Amino acid sequence: GWTKYFALRGVERDNEQLRKRVTELEAQLQQEQAQAAKARALEEALNLQRTMAAPTLAGRVIAGNPQPGSLEVTIDRGSADGVEPNMAVVGSRGIGGRVIGPLAPHGARVQLIVGKSAAAGAVLEKNNVGGVVVGGQKDPPLRLDYIPNLVKVEPGERVLTSGQDDIYPSGFVIGVVEKSEEGKDGNRHISVRRGGGVSHLESC
C-alpha cells in the first residue's frame, strides 16, 4: 500500500510539472502568433505603400479612447511626422477613418469611419452611382444614403470611396452591401458591413 501511495504522489508531481510546461508553451505560442500577426500587418502596409500613387506614412494603433461608445483610436504618428487634421487613414483592407485635431508631435487621434458622426463620399462598384456612407454605431455599422430606388443594388456589392469629399482618395474599399430595400422617401435604405479592421493603419 505504501508503495502505491508513493507511486501516486510521484504521478501527481509529474502531472503538475506537465501542466506547468503546457502553460509555458501556450504563452510562448501566443507570443509567436502575435509577432507573426505584426509581421503580416507590416508586410501589408509596405505592399499598400508601393501600390499607392500618393505619398504615405505607415503608422500603428497605440491606444483606444476609454470613453464608453467612443469610436476613436490613437496612432503613433503626429505633427512632427507631417500628419495633419483630415488626413485619410487607410489600411490594406480599406479605409479606417480620418485624423482629427489637436495633434501631438508623435501621436494623433483618428475618428473611425464607423463612428456616429463620420461620413465619406462613396460609389457603388458595379453601377458607379454615388452617395454618402455614414457611421451609426449599429449592426451593420454603416449605411449608404442618397441612392435612388430606381438603382438596382444587391447584397454583396462593394462600396468604394469616391474621392468627392476631399479626404479619402478614390477607389478604396469602404465595405460591402449587406441589405438593400426601397424607401418611402425615394431613396434606398442600404446597410453596409465594413470590409476590415484597423489594427494597422497608414495615414496618407
Side-chain angles (χ1 to χ4, degrees):
W2 282 106
T3 303
K4 292 179 180 178
Y5 172 77
F6 285 122
L8 288 174
R9 287 296 299 269
V11 169
E12 182 180 352
R13 200 164 44 246
D14 291 343
N15 285 342
E16 181 62 31
Q17 291 176 348
L18 286 173
R19 282 193 292 268
K20 184 177 179 181
R21 181 56 178 160
V22 167
T23 301
E24 292 173 350
L25 289 173
E26 286 178 347
Q28 183 178 348
L29 177 61
Q30 290 178 6
Q31 193 174 32
E32 290 176 353
Q33 288 174 338
Q35 291 292 333
K38 184 177 179 181
R40 285 194 299 271
L42 288 171
E43 184 178 355
E44 289 176 352
L46 290 173
N47 289 335
L48 177 64
Q49 285 184 296
R50 283 194 288 266
T51 57
M52 287 188 67
T56 60
L57 176 68
R60 290 185 304 151
V61 175
I62 57 174
N65 193 316
Q67 295 180 358
S70 175
L71 290 172
E72 295 179 8
V73 296
T74 301
I75 58 175
D76 63 348
R77 294 290 185 268
S79 57
D81 305 298
V83 175
E84 298 177 358
N86 282 330
M87 278 188 167
V89 179
V90 301
S92 56
R93 298 179 184 178
I95 68 170
R98 68 182 180 95
V99 173
I100 55 177
L103 304 179
H106 297 289
R109 290 161 52 222
V110 175
Q111 178 195 42
L112 301 180
I113 189 61
V114 294
K116 191 172 182 179
S117 60
V123 62
L124 289 161
E125 184 177 38
K126 291 182 180 178
N127 49 43
N128 203 35
V129 175
V132 176
V133 161
V134 295
Q137 294 179 286
K138 297 180 180 179
D139 187 19
L142 300 172
R143 74 173 191 270
L144 177 59
D145 291 343
Y146 310 117
I147 304 296
N149 285 333
L150 294 175
V151 178
K152 185 178 180 181
V153 182
E154 297 180 349
E157 182 169 358
R158 294 203 307 174
V159 181
L160 310 178
T161 53
S162 66
Q164 298 299 312
D165 50 32
D166 293 326
I167 295 177
Y168 299 102
S170 62
F172 278 86
V173 176
I174 299 176
V176 177
V177 173
E178 183 162 304
K179 193 175 183 181
S180 175
E181 299 176 335
E182 289 190 4
K184 294 181 180 180
D185 59 354
N187 291 321
R188 285 190 166 273
H189 295 171
I190 302 173
S191 57
V192 178
R193 177 76 61 183
R194 279 276 291 126
V198 290
S199 60
H200 196 91
L201 302 171
E202 294 75 45
S203 173
C204 65

